[in-house]
Amino acid sequence: MAIETLYDKDGSLDGLAGKTVAVLGYGSQGHAHAQNLRDSGVKVIVANRAESANGKLAAEHGFEPLPVDEAVKQADVLILTLPDEVQPEVYEKSIKPNLTAGMTVGFTHGFNVHFGTITPPADVDVIMVAPKGPGHTVRWEYEKGGGVPCLMAIHQDATGKAKDIAMAWAIGVGGGKGGTLVTNFKDECETDLFGEQVVLCGGLSEMIKKGFETLTEAGYPPELAYFEVCHELELIINLIKRGGLTYMRYSISNTAEFGDYYTGPKIVDDATKERMAVALKHIQDGGFAKAFRDDYEKGFPWFKQQQEKDKQHGVEKVGKELRAMMPWLDPVDM
């Protein structure tokens, strides 16, 4: 069954009329939601540490950054855009004590609600609007008169108006133009984690590293290896984004397309798919969420170790040198 998709014509901003929306956090998603909603005519306040870089940015954008507890006291609708690992502590300390019946608690990702690290009381609405793009894109597309597609979910409808509020939020950030797909917290959370871990981040990062290692260990120059397994990804990804796998294959050479069919299934095969299923199960049963929370509560020792380890990988070292030769990429030195 096709997923329900809603547009501007299917709702309005009325769900937020007369309400104060507090955006908690002014990072990638926070700045976009706050500005887009304000430009849509919604009353918006922002919670962020005033002395931080994001707090100073909020001030530059015309907001007065408030402490979280003060913002919650002033608001009717909350939008949490803080990092997943930080949200439970902030919720318990500054949000939960200041919630009143009839308020709305909004999320841009279902992680904490789905895995039970945040459990809002029964007398508040719990909703989600998750743009399928980074915050800067959400802002840019809105400024151009368009919008990034969003996912929308109603987890708890205490007032009977949760859907109206969620739809107003989605329309206010541009999702009514890009298309707002109706889902639930479970599906959004689990598919998002799976995509990140198995394909978009984890899978892709490991493919790049293993491809680089295979070529360099076979005696090929690391510079050539970097170009072939990393640099040219942008071309392929952009073609796929525009027209799917079919358009990508149409646009590349016959040699490349033949090799796609001939060798691809030998690398990513049914055994890989079986391991993907195991990874999905680990997400579904809460195993990944527990591992993430446990490492965070210890100060992220394993996480930080992996960060430093991969910074020393050959593909990162040679890539840094080669990107410096291409100023048109606007290279970033981490």
Side-chain angles (χ1 to χ4, degrees), residues 25 32 41 56 85 93 99 101 106-107 114 127-128 153 170 174 208 223 268 271 286 297 305-306:
K56 292 176 181 177
E85 65 271 22
K93 178 182 178 181
L99 289 177
F107 295 84
H114 178 52
I127 63 177
M128 175 175 60
I208 291 170
E223 293 82 1
V268 181
E297 290 171 3
Q305 182 183 45
Q306 304 315 303

Side-chain angles (χ1 to χ4, degrees), residues 58-289:
E60 289 178 17
H61 291 166
F63 296 102
E64 179 184 351
L66 300 169
V68 173
D69 56 353
E70 184 59 36
V72 174
K73 292 175 184 177
Q74 295 183 26
D76 303 293
V77 178
L78 310 177
I79 297 176
L80 279 71
T81 68
L82 300 163
D84 290 331
E85 65 271 22
V86 173
Q87 287 185 18
E89 181 180 354
V90 173
Y91 176 82
E92 290 295 326
K93 178 182 178 181
S94 302
I95 298 174
K96 183 178 178 180
N98 298 298
L99 289 177
T100 57
M103 290 180 68
T104 300
V105 183
F107 295 84
T108 57
H109 181 33
F111 186 91
N112 283 299
V113 169
H114 178 52
F115 290 115
T117 49
I118 292 178
T119 305
D123 58 3
V124 303
D125 293 336
V126 182
I127 63 177
M128 175 175 60
V129 171
K132 298 312 293 178
H136 292 298
T137 304
V138 175
R139 181 59 179 159
W140 292 335
E141 290 302 311
Y142 178 92
E143 290 181 308
K144 292 190 293 185
V148 170
C150 294
L151 301 183
M152 183 183 83
I154 312 300
H155 182 74
Q156 188 167 283
D157 186 5
T159 66
K161 300 178 180 179
K163 184 176 180 180
D164 292 339
I165 294 170
M167 193 61 193
W169 173 11
I171 290 172
V173 297
K177 292 182 173 61
T180 296
L181 288 72
V182 180
T183 185
N184 56 64
F185 275 55
K186 175 184 182 295
D187 288 358
E188 182 279 333
C189 179
E190 293 177 357
T191 57
D192 184 74
L193 293 176
F194 178 83
E196 291 169 349
Q197 295 173 30
V198 175
V199 180
L200 303 177
C201 303
L204 180 59
S205 297
E206 291 304 315
M207 286 286 288
I208 291 170
K209 289 188 294 182
K210 295 299 187 289
F212 181 87
E213 291 166 11
T214 299
L215 286 175
T216 54
E217 289 169 9
Y220 296 99
E223 293 82 1
L224 297 189
Y226 175 83
F227 277 122
E228 297 306 327
V229 304
C230 186
H231 177 77
E232 294 185 15
L233 278 173
E234 181 183 25
L235 167 65
I236 300 301
I237 291 170
N238 285 341
L239 292 172
I240 294 172
K241 284 172 64 176
R242 289 190 62 201
L245 297 176
T246 299
Y247 180 65
M248 179 272 288
R249 288 162 171 159
Y250 165 80
S251 302
I252 61 179
S253 70
N254 287 339
T255 311
E257 184 177 358
F258 187 92
D260 176 343
Y261 304 131
Y262 187 79
T263 303
K266 299 173 185 175
I267 306 301
V268 181
D269 57 13
D270 286 342
T272 307
K273 184 179 176 182
E274 290 174 6
R275 292 191 294 273
M276 289 181 173
V278 172
L280 178 58
K281 180 64 176 177
H282 191 57
I283 290 169
Q284 293 170 328
D285 66 17
F288 169 77

